[in-house]
Amino acid sequence: MQPPHTQRWDPAGYERNARFVSDLGTPVLELLAPRPGERILDLGCGDGALTERIAASGARATGVDASPEFIAAARARGLDAAVMDGRHLTFENAFDAVFSNAALHWMRDPDAVLAGVYRALVPGGRFVGEMGGHGNVAAIVVAVSAVLARRGLDAMQHSPWYFPTAQEYAAKLEAAGFGVDSIALHPRTTPLPTDMAGWLATFADSFFAPLTPQERALARDEVLALLRPVLCDSAGRWTADYVRLRFVGHRL
Ligand code: BEZ
């Protein structure tokens, strides 16, 4: 994942609040279908949970992520991993496939990212990914926007996320020199292992960056109050209204 502005990744907090992100990566790994000996780049590898599964298939997996904390965690698994900004990938004709799960929506300059993925692949190489798509966490975005608007702030100015439609991202892939084999949105209500406070702390902290610590605590409580009727059931179990964009392309 690529942290713009104030987004910081804490591997321990991620393990607690967000392990489901890699656990739910199986469908996109199946689309990748790594083969023994293939060179595969995991773009935005996080702590390497899925890179490890790619390597276990016999492929030669390399992970990159903009977070030094995540790369330290990936290396602790024994993986080949490097700190690298997704907008400035330095590879040339180096990989048979580029894989990305839950990372591209953190990269706010998609054209620069796609240009780097194109360069990194050999001709015909696959680009297989899943990211947040249009409408992802819409209820959460609306609640955060309403709470920040009460304070005269425009949430969209502080949004670290890019959630394109299938049409928009397909056009970007094609403009960058990829053939698009498949691309579609997949709405996926996602149970949270902890609660919405944990989710906000792990994923949405940068929205609250303009506030003082006291203001932040109050604002988060207001967000939780707005969301409880729609995303928390009577037993206190929270879900998030995820919409994933899953695609397979190849370098032409
Ligand atoms: C994620 O990285 O999985 C994510 C980020 C923002 C909203 C939803 C999911």
Side-chain angles (χ1 to χ4, degrees):
M1 290 98 215
Q2 175 156 316
H5 314 304
T6 58
Q7 177 67 30
R8 289 278 173 274
W9 294 106
D10 153 33
Y14 195 84
E15 181 64 40
R16 212 168 38 247
N17 294 314
R19 175 52 55 215
F20 66 88
V21 174
S22 53
D23 289 347
L24 294 174
T26 299
V28 65
L29 262 187
E30 286 171 357
L31 274 182
L32 173 69
R35 295 186 282 267
E38 279 194 313
R39 296 156 301 167
I40 299 185
L41 176 66
D42 185 355
L43 171 56
C45 66
D47 65 5
L50 290 178
T51 328
E52 194 168 50
R53 289 176 64 188
I54 294 170
S57 74
R60 287 185 276 153
T62 299
V64 293
D65 201 291
S67 159
E69 293 81 6
F70 270 154
I71 289 302
R75 286 187 178 149
R77 294 177 189 264
L79 294 166
D80 174 31
V83 177
M84 199 178 292
D85 186 319
R87 293 164 302 180
H88 306 291
L89 296 177
T90 57
F91 306 103
E92 302 275 345
N93 287 313
F95 294 101
D96 301 299
V98 174
F99 169 85
S100 186
N101 182 59
L104 293 166
H105 50 255
W106 293 101
M107 304 179 196
R108 295 299 307 264
D109 187 350
D111 299 316
V113 174
L114 290 174
V117 172
Y118 181 92
R119 286 193 305 272
L121 283 169
V122 296
R126 323 194 289 294
F127 182 27
V128 179
E130 184 171 302
M131 64 193 289
H134 189 68
N136 194 35
V137 293
I140 299 172
V141 170
V142 169
V144 170
S145 299
V147 166
L148 291 187
R150 288 173 190 162
R151 291 157 173 84
L153 296 167
D154 176 0
M156 288 308 112
Q157 277 188 0
H158 302 281
S159 173
W161 304 326
Y162 166 62
F163 297 144
T165 63
Q167 289 79 2
E168 179 186 340
Y169 206 64
K172 286 197 179 296
L173 283 163
E174 284 167 358
F178 292 93
V180 179
D181 303 299
S182 64
I183 185 162
L185 289 176
H186 298 267
R188 190 191 69 201
T189 299
T190 301
L192 300 183
T194 53
D195 55 20
M196 186 54 68
W199 190 93
L200 290 172
T202 295
F203 291 101
D205 216 32
S206 59
F207 284 103
F208 302 96
L211 306 177
T212 65
Q214 290 90 334
E215 288 170 334
R216 269 183 223 178
L218 266 179
R220 284 208 194 95
D221 287 348
E222 289 176 32
V223 170
L224 294 180
L226 283 171
L227 288 175
R228 191 165 281 108
V230 286
L231 294 180
C232 187
D233 70 12
S234 55
R237 289 179 295 242
W238 285 89
T239 53
D241 49 341
Y242 276 29
V243 177
R244 310 310 269 178
L245 178 64
R246 198 177 294 159
F247 62 87
V248 178
H250 59 278
R251 177 178 160 167
L252 293 173

